[in-house]
Amino acid sequence: MDTGLRCLTYTLLLLCLSFCVPKLLSKVLSSAVVKYDPVYDQVEDFTVSSCLTLLCSVNGCSITTAEGIGNSKNGFHPIQERFSGFHASQCGFCTPGMCVSLFGALVNADKTNRPERRPGFSKLTVSEAEKCIAGNLCRCTGYRPIIDACKSFATDVDMEDLGFNSFWRKGENKEVKLSRLPSYDRKSATCVFPEFLKKEILAGANLDYQGYDWYCPVSLEQLKGLLQSDKANEGTSMKIIVGNTGVGYYKELLHHDTYIDLRYIPELSIIRKDPSGIEIGAAVTIYKAIEALNKGNEGEFNLEDGLVFKKIADHMEKIASVFIRNTASVGGNLIMAQRKHFPSDIATILLSVDAIVDIMTGQTHEKLTLEEFLGRPPLDSKSVLLSIKIPCWGSSRDVSSDTYTKLLYETYRAAPRPLGNALPYLNAAFLAEVSLCKNSTGRMLKNCRLAFGACGTKHSIRVREVEEFLSGKLMCIDVLYEAIKLLESLVMLEDGTSSAAYRSSLAVGFLFEFLSPLTDCNVKISDGLLNGYNSTLLFKNSNQERDEFGEIKFPTLLSSSKQVIQLNKEYHPVGEPTTKTGAILQASGEAIYVDDIPSPKNCLYGAIIYSTEPLARVKGIKFKPGSSPDGVITVISSEDIPGVNLGSKMVFGTEPLFADELTVGVGQRIAFVVADTQKNADIAANLAVIDYDKENLEPPILSVEEAVKRGSFYKVPSFLDPKQVGDLSKGMAEADHRILSAEITLGSQYYFYMETQTALAVPDEDNCMVVYSSTQCPEFAHDTIARCLGVPGHNVRVITRRLGGGFGGKAVKAIAVATACAVAAYKLQRPVRIYVNRKTDMIMAGGRHPMKITYSVGFKANGKITALKLDILIDSGMFVDASPVMPKCILSALKKYDWGALSFDIKLCKTNLPSRAAMRAPGEVQASYIAEAVIEHVTSTLSMDVDSVRNINLHTHSSLDLFFTSSAGERLQYTLPSIWDKLATSSSFYHRVEMIKEFNRYHIWKKRGISRVPIVHEVNLRATPAKVSVLHDGSIVVEVGGIEMGQGLWTKVKQMTAYALSLVKCGGTDDLLEKIRVIEADTLSTIQGGLTAGSTTSESSCEAVRLCCNILVERLVPLKERLMEQMASMEWEMLILQAYLNSVNLSASTLYVPNSSTMHYLNYGAAVSEVEVNLITGETTNLRTDIIYDCGKSLNPAVDLGQIEGAYVQGIGFFMLEEYPTNSDGLVTANGTWTYKIPTVDTIPKQFNVEILNSGNHNNQVLSSKASGEPPLTLAVSVHCATRAAIREARQQLVSWSGRNESDSTFQLKVPATMPTVKELCGLDSIQKFLQWTIGKNRG
């Protein structure tokens, strides 16, 4: 038994019973579990979702967390070392979960009977390595380095495909590379299960603690007894569970009185196979069901049945994520579908094969078809689903000697994420027998089963009318068209179904995809098999690539990547790609975030009560009638604030901590409920009922149009008011063509940092308060808390070590969270902390600024734009926040093109909606879209090539100087023209343009597009403090005002410190990097820290540190020179010792203040993106992205590379995926990962190439470096533009089917360009039009 940290074994006692997993496990997302299965008498290894796993469910299990895999005390695991070395961690909050997911995959792969792997590798394949983290979310890295770290363990990996890392350098051979990787041994991925626990499990374990009962029946008789017990009959709250994963979708705040765990009942956990089919116990996990169904394709059944089982298994692999499938049960999924109308994939695919379910109610057993089961009223709590039988079809068919017959089976799914972890817009599964008479060429359908799910009906359905219509018919285009028309009339979606027309079009598309190959005369039947049936949709238009057995080929997610980096050794170690400071601790889970700080004695917990009304008087707060929330201590409101009611204070204005008598916006904070646990506080906040009064109040302002009508605006300070460029009237007069008053609307985007808002306030002696806050601006939080408490500033200390992601969302928004904790702690004189739940965080965050844009543009016949006029209405929300910076940010990014003359009117609209905050590249990402939308519109009007229009409107240095008067720099610093040309060559842009034309010419149902876009991005440096101290032993402590939140600030600061102190030029200074520690920000130690934002805090902090080091070097050099007169050499440690003896001041602090020549500069870059659009589903696949970005002389190319890739992928989220929906009052309705989809590992470019241009020539910048945090995000507009190009091809094809010759190239592609949006533009009725065109062509 391994009792060390590597594999912690818990025998859970009643005293530990809490029905939840410790917070640590929630943070790392997944944990590796080793469990003994008494049914099969075997030990199982699997990963679980920690935040969904009930503590009692892992009773008797061996649990390995990230710390258990490896740690700083016992040694790090190769997984953790490789994550660090491949630069796969930024903010680090998601990294432990990634490591555990990979660990679980390694354990299971190495247990297989696959051939022995190559030395140094596991048995894991590249595909498995990529998929193992498909369910994990990361907001920082862009996933590419994480994938590389995972792939480095795969036995079939090509070392050349692994990206930039700290282990080897370009040009080294494979043997050298392998020797440099941290060694992997199979034993390091093994956990030993203790034998004594097997007896405990066999005996069963019922648990009881503080009124909660946990039962583990080991037989159906015991289960019946529990269901018929007095407790059950007395209305006790009872829950039957297997994996508890359903609470991820159907949130549960309240506990149940009794839990019944079904996993130990053999009849519910067994898989039976016989010639009639496969019977799966209801408690069997989805993972085990997949395993069993795949084995059914290994000779246990005939070929046809084996392939049906295999396709069911393939579809199940797209459900949820690995660590959900490991514990979620097949039966539980079906019960949710039956009781709660969950849009289940499993229900649909099993419905299509006539699955049978076995139900137990009391002493009665009842076998029903799945269709009957789903159609019944919701199953009552005393009924239990026992098993599901999937019948064999191949052996039961009657095959005539006069026909060749083949069983066809296909499943379909359209979802925002290809590999699952997202609910489908629609799923479907079709089964049919196809017969071909020996004397005929026709193909006849028999025994059709057409099942659809997630289609706006209460549950999955069979479309029997279409089945009956098709049965016995010879397939041809006309029959297919009639079947599709019939299907259209039958799929009736319920009122309120989102994207209803899109879902209906998917149903048509899936049926077309299934049946259309049967109308192709090239399909031949021989030897009882349907050869050629591979879902080929007429000509070269396959939507899913399949192998010779008809199985879907799943290509690797990231087929290749390339990173081109030029190292700069001039300022060693600055410019070196050193690994990120703290990355290994993040990988092991030992990095401390605010919520990891142990709760002090008597700690209380808070939750925010917010307004659900946009404008109303608050008369009072009470809890829902009949509810009495446990553990509530008090409710804090504005009346309890000892000082000023202040939630944040910026240079532009203030925001109250709590609404007084009037709430002026939906999501505004009204009160703060304090309880004994975080869960009780959240429950209490959820049960709070606010008494509103709206009498005699004006209607709220819920749109920018209404704000304009009522003159509701914020002012922009004159120093932030951008200036017009050129003469608009003259530019318009010079134009050959004009587009007038075109409109664009842009929505919001949520930050989705992995760590939500969190804070801990601890009262200290002498009326002081210490606050630990996850904030980007501790200084502002400090000032706000002091004023709110009514105490002097020196009575408050705000401490911030690191953030689990920020992106602007933890600037102003974090202040109020910390202040609320401080007010509660001050009043109660007890520590108070909060971890804001995701739903509340999403409601209050505000996010990116929505806006409405109206533009008029004049242009020449050659595409050169002569004038652009913009009217922009920005929804700033209920409080000003940082909105006044928006006009300047928008114009700065918009000016990437030479518009000739640029005129604008930008209004900040004050509405009764959540106040918006600056989000990564605020205004700039919207401006990048506006600029490209104008370019695309001009192109469409002129029927020109869009790239040539972009090219003709790029700046010359003269026009650049006109548009950016204070930051254009010297001619040599304007690198965009060379980047533009270099990228065309390195990406083979022009060749690929021609290849795409050829592809589109021969593919009907897939279209490709490509786009090349530039960026010119202005950044501004701010004053930043620093302090450097050398300790007695020569080690160095550094403090800076900037906050580490994943951008590598600490790493660059350490490198700069090492370089600057090495100028003392004594022995040992080459190794100073390992002697330096950057410590947490403390507002009483380093003042004037300001705000960490705008991409430049790292370089400002580095310059501040360099100035400090210069002071120390000036003090040390004279001492060194005196000492060198007496000795031949001088080591660093000896010099510092002598400095202490000579009372040399070894601490220096400074405030770096940029001057007019260094405050502003421009960043340049360009991207080429190629996408493929599926015209049947609207799915967009990013095939390839090439980026060249000018980092000047990069301070750390590894860090900057991560920033470029991560920002770009976050931009993909904005442009393609992330919808931030609200109700009619503006209240956010998205409440977590189920409803808000950030990019995942399967949505990034399949080929991802990045080159960092080491341009130099920037003497006014910090060691000639340039920013990388935000500008690359705007390059993601290239994906949107490429999608638009593919859609244009689809629309032209659609027009050709109608017989018209006119172009249909002018259209608006909304942001985000989700699947429904893309499909609508490609034609919701494109299949019908194609069939009409084909029928007409055949008849003509």
Side-chain angles (χ1 to χ4, degrees):
M1 173 179 173
D2 186 350
T3 57
L5 278 173
R6 187 181 63 81
C7 183
L8 301 177
T9 300
Y10 298 101
T11 304
L12 302 176
L13 305 176
L14 295 180
L15 293 176
C16 301
L17 189 61
S18 65
F19 292 94
C20 64
V21 170
K23 285 182 184 176
L24 173 63
L25 301 192
S26 296
K27 183 190 86 174
V28 303
L29 186 63
S30 58
S31 301
V33 174
V34 184
K35 175 189 172 186
Y36 174 65
D37 186 341
V39 176
Y40 292 98
D41 188 26
Q42 64 185 26
V43 172
E44 303 169 356
D45 299 90
F46 55 94
T47 53
V48 301
S49 172
S50 300
C51 44
L52 299 178
T53 302
L54 297 175
L55 187 61
C56 290
S57 69
V58 290
N59 183 26
C61 294
S62 168
I63 302 173
T64 304
T65 64
E67 295 91 335
I69 293 173
N71 54 77
S72 56
K73 181 178 179 182
N74 292 2
F76 294 108
H77 192 280
I79 290 174
Q80 295 157 337
E81 293 173 322
R82 294 191 192 184
F83 262 72
S84 174
F86 276 95
H87 312 290
S89 180
Q90 289 188 24
C91 88
F93 204 78
C94 71
T95 310
M98 298 280 185
C99 291
V100 172
S101 292
L102 176 57
F103 177 76
L106 290 175
V107 169
N108 284 312
D110 285 339
K111 286 171 63 177
T112 64
N113 57 4
R114 297 172 185 170
E116 282 302 315
R117 60 199 180 280
R118 291 185 289 168
F121 294 90
S122 75
K123 294 183 181 180
L124 201 67
T125 66
V126 165
S127 178
E128 290 169 338
E130 292 176 332
K131 289 181 186 177
C132 76
I133 49 111
N136 296 68
L137 298 179
C138 175
R139 194 55 150 166
C140 297
T141 63
Y143 297 102
R144 195 275 312 160
I146 297 175
I147 294 172
D148 281 341
C150 294
K151 284 164 59 175
S152 72
F153 290 91
T155 188
D156 57 340
V157 70
D158 184 343
M159 300 288 280
E160 297 299 320
D161 286 342
L162 298 178
F164 186 70
N165 60 77
S166 64
F167 303 119
W168 62 73
R169 289 289 172 261
K170 185 177 179 180
E172 295 179 336
N173 62 44
K174 292 182 180 180
E175 289 72 22
V176 171
K177 290 178 179 179
L178 181 58
S179 69
R180 299 269 179 85
L181 275 175
S183 178
Y184 172 73
D185 184 342
R186 181 177 176 179
K187 293 179 181 178
S188 65
T190 304
C191 284
V192 180
F193 188 84
E195 288 293 327
F196 78 90
L197 279 181
K198 293 182 180 180
K199 297 179 181 178
E200 297 289 332
I201 294 170
L202 285 171
N206 295 330
L207 304 174
D208 177 21
Y209 179 65
Q210 292 186 355
Y212 298 108
D213 296 312
W214 182 281
Y215 294 103
C216 297
V218 295
S219 69
L220 287 177
E221 289 304 314
Q222 285 188 15
L223 176 60
K224 291 175 188 176
L226 289 170
L227 295 176
Q228 296 169 8
S229 65
D230 291 339
K231 282 189 175 182
N233 292 324
E234 291 169 0
T236 300
S237 174
M238 180 180 292
K239 182 177 184 181
I240 296 174
I241 70 154
V242 176
N244 196 51
T245 55
V247 299
Y249 188 72
Y250 298 105
K251 307 296 182 184
E252 291 183 359
L253 287 175
L254 298 174
H255 294 307
H256 296 272
D257 300 313
T258 301
Y259 294 81
I260 301 176
D261 186 349
L262 300 181
R263 294 173 301 158
Y264 301 98
I265 302 173
E267 292 89 339
L268 272 65
S269 299
I270 269 183
I271 299 173
R272 299 182 183 89
K273 298 180 182 179
D274 61 42
S276 66
I278 299 178
E279 185 174 6
I280 298 172
V284 170
T285 65
I286 297 173
Y287 172 80
K288 286 185 179 177
I290 292 169
E291 200 173 45
L293 289 164
N294 278 325
K295 287 180 180 177
N297 191 38
E298 295 176 359
E300 295 184 55
F301 298 92
N302 66 46
L303 178 61
E304 288 185 339
D305 288 323
L307 285 175
V308 169
F309 294 145
K310 179 68 169 65
K311 287 178 179 179
I312 292 174
D314 288 342
H315 193 108
M316 284 185 174
E317 286 193 353
K318 298 177 184 177
I319 296 170
S321 55
V322 175
F323 47 79
I324 298 295
R325 296 194 295 268
N326 285 340
T327 54
S329 66
V330 175
N333 186 284
L334 291 178
I335 288 292
M336 287 200 303
Q338 203 272 346
R339 283 182 179 161
K340 300 183 177 182
H341 306 149
F342 178 72
S344 164
D345 283 86
I346 292 177
T348 303
I349 57 180
L350 296 187
L351 182 62
S352 68
V353 292
D354 285 351
I356 305 293
V357 298
D358 187 1
I359 308 293
M360 181 185 77
T361 305
Q363 300 299 322
T364 305
H365 282 251
E366 188 177 13
K367 290 187 183 292
L368 304 169
T369 66
L370 183 57
E371 186 176 21
E372 293 170 333
F373 173 67
L374 293 173
R376 279 191 168 190
L379 209 64
D380 65 46
S381 60
K382 295 184 180 180
S383 297
V384 178
L385 175 62
L386 300 181
S387 66
I388 305 96
K389 178 71 174 284
I390 306 175
C392 287
W393 279 77
S395 58
S396 62
R397 290 185 291 110
D398 180 23
V399 180
S400 167
S401 60
D402 294 328
T403 62
Y404 294 123
T405 303
K406 169 66 177 175
L407 185 69
L408 301 182
Y409 184 68
E410 291 292 341
T411 71
Y412 302 89
R413 189 175 201 270
R417 293 170 178 158
L419 285 186
N421 206 32
L423 288 178
Y425 291 109
L426 188 88
N427 52 47
F430 307 142
L431 182 146
E433 294 176 22
V434 180
S435 298
L436 174 63
C437 297
K438 292 181 178 179
N439 300 320
S440 170
T441 58
R443 286 165 291 280
M444 181 181 292
L445 288 185
K446 297 191 298 183
N447 291 332
C448 286
R449 300 289 187 273
L450 308 177
F452 294 93
C455 54
T457 55
K458 289 183 178 179
H459 52 74
S460 300
I461 59 170
R462 287 262 302 275
V463 190
R464 289 187 176 272
E465 292 90 340
V466 180
E467 294 173 1
E468 292 166 4
F469 169 79
L470 289 169
S471 184
K473 293 229 175 20
L474 288 173
M475 281 306 302
C476 63
I477 289 289
D478 295 81
V479 170
L480 175 56
Y481 181 51
E482 291 301 318
I484 280 174
K485 286 201 299 182
L486 180 59
L487 177 64
E488 277 187 286
S489 67
L490 293 172
V491 179
M492 304 297 292
L493 283 70
E494 293 183 349
D495 291 342
T497 301
S498 63
S499 306
Y502 169 64
R503 292 172 195 254
S504 294
S505 75
L506 285 175
V508 167
F510 290 157
L511 184 62
F512 172 74
E513 189 167 354
F514 182 68
L515 295 177
S516 64
L518 303 179
T519 66
D520 184 355
C521 63
N522 292 323
V523 177
K524 297 179 181 178
I525 296 181
S526 61
D527 301 325
L529 297 176
L530 187 63
N531 297 329
Y533 184 86
N534 62 355
S535 289
T536 303
L537 301 185
L538 308 176
F539 314 111
K540 299 178 181 178
N541 49 6
S542 173
N543 271 316
Q544 289 179 311
E545 186 181 358
R546 298 169 187 267
D547 62 19
E548 64 270 25
F549 301 108
E551 297 178 23
I552 297 172
K553 288 183 179 179
F554 289 108
T556 55
L557 302 178
L558 184 70
S559 58
S560 66
S561 65
K562 182 173 67 175
Q563 301 81 42
V564 178
I565 290 170
Q566 302 170 42
L567 300 183
N568 169 34
K569 299 183 179 296
E570 185 177 354
Y571 308 110
H572 176 81
V574 172
E576 293 290 326
T578 59
T579 57
K580 182 179 172 294
T581 299
I584 193 74
L585 295 178
Q586 291 171 339
S588 69
E590 295 174 281
I592 302 298
Y593 299 83
V594 171
D595 200 51
D596 293 317
I597 299 170
S599 293
K601 185 179 179 181
N602 296 322
C603 188
L604 299 172
Y605 300 80
I608 295 168
I609 300 172
Y610 53 82
S611 173
T612 55
E613 291 287 343
L615 183 63
R617 297 183 189 89
V618 179
K619 297 175 65 177
I621 302 173
K622 55 187 177 183
F623 294 110
K624 288 180 181 177
S627 66
S628 53
D630 294 334
V632 173
I633 306 300
T634 190
V635 176
I636 305 289
S637 67
S638 60
E639 297 175 356
D640 299 293
I641 296 173
V644 180
N645 184 7
L646 189 64
S648 67
K649 179 179 179 293
M650 297 283 287
V651 66
F652 310 119
T654 62
E655 177 180 340
L657 180 59
F658 301 119
D660 288 316
E661 296 181 357
L662 188 72
T663 174
V664 296
V666 66
Q668 184 180 6
R669 296 174 301 277
I670 291 178
F672 189 72
V673 59
V674 182
D676 59 348
T677 69
Q678 186 64 64
K679 185 160 190 174
N680 283 339
D682 287 336
I683 290 171
N686 192 58
L687 293 173
V689 177
I690 303 168
D691 186 7
Y692 297 106
D693 176 17
K694 294 187 274 187
E695 187 177 354
N696 298 325
L697 290 176
E698 289 187 354
I701 300 173
L702 300 177
S703 68
V704 292
E705 291 87 352
E706 184 63 24
V708 172
K709 286 181 185 177
R710 291 161 62 175
S712 180
F713 304 114
Y714 296 109
K715 290 184 178 180
V716 177
S718 58
F719 70 92
L720 286 175
D721 205 2
K723 302 295 184 287
Q724 314 282 329
V725 180
D727 186 333
L728 180 71
S729 299
K730 182 181 177 184
M732 283 294 187
E734 292 173 352
D736 299 325
H737 305 274
R738 298 169 191 83
I739 297 170
L740 302 177
S741 300
E743 290 188 355
I744 301 171
T745 57
L746 289 170
S748 187
Q749 182 185 21
Y750 172 57
Y751 308 95
F752 220 105
Y753 24 59
M754 293 296 104
E755 171 201 46
T756 57
Q757 303 284 5
T758 182
L760 166 64
V762 183
D764 203 356
E765 64 179 21
D766 197 20
N767 207 30
C768 292
M769 185 67 64
V770 179
V771 180
Y772 300 88
S773 174
S774 181
T775 177
Q776 293 175 234
C777 45
E779 178 194 349
F780 298 164
H782 180 120
D783 294 342
T784 301
I785 291 168
R787 290 192 62 192
C788 206
L789 298 184
V791 300
H794 59 55
N795 280 32
V796 175
R797 167 177 270 135
V798 177
I799 297 173
T800 302
R801 179 172 294 183
R802 59 171 62 85
L803 274 57
F807 316 117
K810 291 182 180 171
V812 179
K813 298 294 183 182
I815 297 173
V817 174
T819 305
C821 279
V823 169
Y826 191 83
K827 177 180 179 179
L828 300 172
Q829 284 302 297
R830 291 174 64 177
V832 177
R833 74 187 315 164
I834 185 175
Y835 194 92
V836 178
N837 64 66
R838 183 65 70 179
K839 177 182 177 181
T840 301
D841 197 280
M842 294 188 77
I843 286 171
M844 297 173 53
R848 203 177 285 284
H849 288 74
M851 56 185 68
K852 179 181 179 181
I853 304 99
T854 304
Y855 65 87
S856 298
V857 59
F859 48 97
K860 296 283 191 179
N862 65 354
K864 179 66 185 77
I865 294 171
T866 58
L868 176 63
K869 171 71 168 69
L870 293 164
D871 294 292
I872 301 177
L873 302 176
I874 300 174
D875 177 5
S876 299
M878 64 181 120
F879 300 111
V880 67
D881 203 285
S883 292
V885 306
M886 290 295 290
K888 188 173 187 298
C889 291
I890 291 172
L891 266 298
S892 149
L894 192 75
K895 292 189 289 187
K896 66 178 182 176
Y897 289 116
D898 174 10
W899 304 109
L902 178 60
S903 178
F904 47 86
D905 180 16
I906 303 177
K907 289 182 169 63
L908 304 179
C909 298
K910 183 178 182 180
T911 64
N912 297 112
L913 298 170
S915 54
R916 312 297 175 174
M919 183 176 177
R920 194 176 194 176
E924 293 137 346
V925 67
Q926 294 99 320
S928 68
Y929 172 75
I930 296 167
E932 300 307 335
V934 172
I935 292 287
E936 297 267 4
H937 200 165
V938 168
T939 300
S940 298
T941 303
L942 296 173
S943 298
M944 290 181 63
D945 170 59
V946 67
D947 192 71
S948 65
V949 175
R950 288 193 176 99
N951 195 59
I952 200 172
N953 286 291
L954 291 179
H955 281 292
T956 63
H957 187 263
S958 298
S959 65
L960 187 77
D961 200 35
L962 174 65
F963 277 72
F964 296 95
T965 53
S966 63
S967 52
E970 301 297 325
R971 186 176 298 274
L972 283 175
Q973 295 174 332
Y974 180 42
T975 56
L976 181 58
S978 61
I979 289 173
W980 189 252
D981 294 338
K982 185 176 184 180
L983 182 63
T985 302
S986 64
S987 68
S988 304
F989 177 71
Y990 295 113
H991 173 69
R992 286 163 60 198
V993 166
E994 296 305 314
M995 294 293 291
I996 287 170
K997 288 178 182 177
E998 192 72 8
F999 178 92
N1000 291 337
R1001 188 175 296 117
Y1002 287 100
H1003 288 76
I1004 296 178
W1005 300 110
K1006 286 187 176 181
K1007 300 296 180 185
R1008 291 183 178 178
I1010 191 169
S1011 179
R1012 177 174 56 154
V1013 302
I1015 56 166
V1016 177
H1017 193 289
E1018 186 176 32
V1019 296
N1020 304 284
L1021 276 71
R1022 293 183 301 278
T1024 307
K1027 180 180 179 181
V1028 179
S1029 304
V1030 185
L1031 304 183
H1032 198 279
D1033 63 351
S1035 60
I1036 300 146
V1037 178
V1038 181
E1039 299 175 64
V1040 290
I1043 303 300
E1044 174 60 56
M1045 49 189 183
Q1047 81 280 46
L1049 185 148
W1050 282 6
T1051 310
K1052 290 181 176 180
V1053 162
K1054 283 182 64 174
Q1055 290 175 274
M1056 181 62 82
T1057 305
Y1059 160 69
L1061 288 180
S1062 72
L1063 298 180
V1064 77
K1065 299 188 183 303
C1066 68
T1069 53
D1070 287 342
D1071 301 320
L1072 283 182
L1073 196 62
E1074 298 305 315
K1075 299 179 185 294
I1076 301 165
R1077 179 180 295 278
V1078 184
I1079 62 173
E1080 59 196 13
D1082 182 333
T1083 54
L1084 289 188
S1085 179
T1086 302
I1087 64 169
Q1088 297 174 282
L1091 173 65
T1092 300
S1095 304
T1096 58
T1097 311
S1098 292
E1099 61 196 90
S1100 296
S1101 297
C1102 283
E1103 182 62 12
V1105 162
R1106 191 175 71 88
L1107 295 175
C1108 291
C1109 292
N1110 287 348
I1111 295 170
L1112 293 175
V1113 169
E1114 287 176 6
R1115 295 171 184 170
L1116 287 169
V1117 166
L1119 175 63
K1120 184 199 76 168
E1121 291 174 348
R1122 290 200 306 271
L1123 292 172
M1124 287 293 288
E1125 294 175 358
Q1126 306 167 24
M1127 54 187 72
S1129 64
M1130 174 64 62
E1131 293 297 312
W1132 170 259
E1133 287 80 1
M1134 176 59 70
L1135 177 60
I1136 298 307
L1137 176 62
Q1138 291 297 321
Y1140 267 85
L1141 293 175
N1142 285 273
S1143 300
V1144 175
N1145 184 358
L1146 292 181
S1147 183
S1149 61
T1150 189
L1151 179 69
Y1152 162 62
V1153 181
N1155 58 39
S1156 58
S1157 65
T1158 60
M1159 187 175 293
H1160 314 284
Y1161 64 86
L1162 298 180
N1163 290 83
Y1164 307 107
V1168 169
S1169 290
E1170 180 182 349
V1171 305
E1172 182 175 278
V1173 171
N1174 182 323
L1175 273 56
I1176 288 179
T1177 64
E1179 180 183 6
T1180 301
T1181 302
N1182 192 341
L1183 299 176
R1184 176 175 170 180
T1185 288
D1186 296 80
I1187 295 173
I1188 298 180
Y1189 184 78
D1190 182 359
C1191 270
K1193 291 185 177 178
S1194 171
L1195 298 175
N1196 184 315
V1199 168
D1200 287 331
L1201 175 66
Q1203 288 292 285
I1204 293 166
E1205 292 177 339
Y1208 176 82
V1209 170
Q1210 194 172 81
I1212 290 176
F1214 175 72
F1215 286 111
M1216 303 301 295
L1217 294 168
E1218 297 176 37
E1219 295 179 288
Y1220 203 12
T1222 65
N1223 66 13
S1224 58
D1225 286 328
L1227 184 70
V1228 171
T1229 54
N1231 59 7
T1233 57
W1234 282 103
T1235 48
Y1236 193 89
K1237 299 301 178 187
I1238 68 171
T1240 43
V1241 68
D1242 50 349
T1243 55
I1244 66 171
K1246 290 185 175 296
Q1247 189 173 350
F1248 201 178
N1249 304 320
V1250 179
E1251 178 177 351
I1252 295 179
L1253 186 68
N1254 195 338
S1255 62
N1257 302 316
H1258 309 291
N1259 296 330
N1260 287 334
Q1261 274 72 68
V1262 178
L1263 299 189
S1264 291
S1265 67
K1266 302 180 81 171
S1268 61
E1270 291 174 295
L1273 190 147
T1274 64
L1275 287 172
V1277 74
S1278 60
V1279 180
H1280 194 271
C1281 293
T1283 304
R1284 182 185 174 90
I1287 293 171
R1288 185 182 297 110
E1289 292 293 319
R1291 290 168 70 86
Q1292 290 173 353
Q1293 176 177 264
L1294 200 61
V1295 168
S1296 71
W1297 291 339
S1298 67
R1300 304 196 312 268
N1301 294 321
E1302 70 269 19
S1303 173
D1304 191 20
S1305 59
T1306 300
F1307 57 91
Q1308 285 279 356
L1309 177 58
K1310 293 190 297 186
V1311 173
T1314 58
M1315 292 171 67
T1317 297
V1318 171
K1319 172 61 178 173
E1320 183 177 354
L1321 288 172
C1322 292
L1324 292 172
D1325 60 349
S1326 59
I1327 287 169
Q1328 293 90 323
K1329 288 187 175 179
F1330 169 74
L1331 290 174
Q1332 291 168 358
W1333 173 74
T1334 304
I1335 291 169
K1337 189 177 177 184
N1338 291 342
R1339 289 175 180 171

